[in-house]
Amino acid sequence: MSDENKQYLEFIQHTINRMASNSFYIKGFSVTVLSAIFAIFANNPNKYILIVGYFPTISSWLLDTYYLQLERQYRNLYNDATGITTYKPVSTYDLNAKDYILEDDKFYKIAISFSQILTYPPILAILTFLLIFFKPDSK
C-alpha cells in the first residue's frame, strides 16, 4: 500500500471519528438539557415545562441519526477504498460519501437502530409519563 493511499485512508478515518464524536456529544448534550428541564420542573411543577423537553429530545434524535448516517457512509467509503467491498469505484482523495448510502443505512432505519432506541424513546416515555400522570399539589 502506498503512502498516498495510507494518507487517504487516514483522512477517511478521521472523518469517521469526527462523526462518532459528534454523535456522542449530541447524546450527552441531550441528557444535560433534559436534566436541566427536570430540575426546573422539580422547582416549578408546571406541565408546560415538560412539553418543552420534547423539542430538544426529538431534535437531538434527528441530528444524532444524521451523524450516524454520515458515519456509516464514510465507513462504506473506507471499505471500498481498502478493497473490502466494491460498491463503487473510488478515486484517491475523493471524500464525497453521498453515494454510499446502502439499504441498511437509510435514515429511518438508523433512527430505529439499537443505539437510538435505547437512548431517545426512554426519555420521551419519561416525559410522557410525567405529563400524563403528574398531578400538582393543590394548595
Side-chain angles (χ1 to χ4, degrees), residues 76-117:
N76 294 335
L77 173 63
Y78 184 88
N79 287 340
D80 266 9
T82 58
I84 294 172
T85 59
T86 54
Y87 177 70
K88 180 182 168 204
V90 178
S91 60
T92 304
Y93 293 111
D94 182 14
L95 293 177
N96 186 0
K98 70 177 178 162
D99 294 332
Y100 285 92
I101 298 177
L102 304 180
E103 186 58 37
D104 289 342
D105 302 334
K106 300 289 186 188
F107 190 85
Y108 70 93
K109 287 189 176 184
I110 295 172
I112 59 172
S113 66
F114 187 70
S115 66
Q116 302 292 73
I117 291 297

Side-chain angles (χ1 to χ4, degrees), residues 1-14 78 81-82 90-95:
M1 182 179 293
S2 69
D3 287 341
E4 185 177 274
N5 201 12
K6 286 180 185 178
Q7 188 177 20
Y8 174 56
L9 293 176
E10 285 178 13
F11 287 159
I12 298 171
Q13 188 60 47
H14 288 303
Y78 184 88
T82 58
V90 178
S91 60
T92 304
Y93 293 111
D94 182 14
L95 293 177

